[in-house]
């Protein structure tokens, strides 16, 4: 991703139903990675990352969400106990939080149960949206606020 290539320019990253950096190098390898995952490329300077992915995504296999997290998290980051989340009686999701050795959150992985290849919590009027899922937009904004770069926030 651009953030992996330029970590000095980017604060946190949000990925929804995507591939890990370096997972594809042309159209055929992209289609192959979308179906079964691809070798991950570890980032030299990880950027805080939040990922949403549906576990019934038939377009981009859910293994890709975990591969994005694995590529983004520092080597010392360990996952906390998974949390089950339910949003207003809608789809359940499993949220996995990763913390570095100092205890800071460096990554979050949201696996939305029963969700297809669609934006979780999106408007029912949109295309490729899943209004029954947790609100990916709200959670990503929360994550971005929590991980704002200090040098950019000060103006």
């Amino acid at each position: 991703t651009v953030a992996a290539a330029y970590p000095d320019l980017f604060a946190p990253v949000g990925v929804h139903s995507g591939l890990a950096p370096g997972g594809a190098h042309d159209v055929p390898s992209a289609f192959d990675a979308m179906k079964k995952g691809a070798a991950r490329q570890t980032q030299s300077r990880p950027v805080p990352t939040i990922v949403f992915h549906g576990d019934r995504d038939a377009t981009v296999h859910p293994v890709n969400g975990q591969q994005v997290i694995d590529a983004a998290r520092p080597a010392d980051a360990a996952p906390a106990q998974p949390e089950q989340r339910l949003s207003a009686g809608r789809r359940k999701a499993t949220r996995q939080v990763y913390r570095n050795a100092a205890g800071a959150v460096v990554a979050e992985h949201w696996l939305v149960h029963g969700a297809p290849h669609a934006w979780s919590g999106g408007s029912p009027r949109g295309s490729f949206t899943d209004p029954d899922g947790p609100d990916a937009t709200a959670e990503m904004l929360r994550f971005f606020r929590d991980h704002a770069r200090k040098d950019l926030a000060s103006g």
Side-chain angles (χ1 to χ4, degrees):
T1 66
V2 175
Y6 301 100
D8 292 338
L9 298 177
F10 291 90
V13 171
V15 176
H16 200 308
S17 308
L19 302 177
H25 57 277
D26 58 19
V27 173
S29 66
F31 281 118
D32 192 48
M34 286 168 55
K35 292 298 177 197
K36 56 187 174 190
R40 69 182 179 97
Q41 191 177 57
T42 304
Q43 299 175 20
S44 58
R45 291 190 30 214
V47 176
T49 301
I50 183 171
V51 171
F52 271 77
H53 212 114
D55 68 0
R56 297 271 172 96
D57 189 333
T59 304
V60 179
H61 194 281
V63 72
N64 287 289
Q66 186 61 52
Q67 289 175 336
V68 171
I69 289 293
D70 290 344
R73 66 186 175 98
D76 69 348
Q81 188 68 21
E83 306 169 4
Q84 295 298 311
R85 295 287 184 104
L86 183 62
S87 177
R90 299 186 226 160
R91 292 194 196 280
K92 291 181 181 178
T94 300
R95 176 179 174 239
Q96 184 79 62
V97 175
Y98 293 79
R99 296 179 183 275
N100 63 17
V105 173
V106 294
E108 286 187 26
H109 183 205
W110 289 71
L111 186 63
V112 184
H113 304 293
H117 185 71
W119 188 267
S120 185
S123 169
R125 294 175 302 203
S127 57
F128 296 101
T129 62
D130 179 22
D132 292 331
D135 190 341
T137 302
E139 293 298 337
M140 286 188 184
L141 288 173
R142 172 197 49 82
F143 189 84
F144 297 164
R145 279 190 304 270
D146 290 349
H147 293 87
R149 286 189 35 190
K150 305 300 183 240
D151 59 329
L152 297 177
S154 64

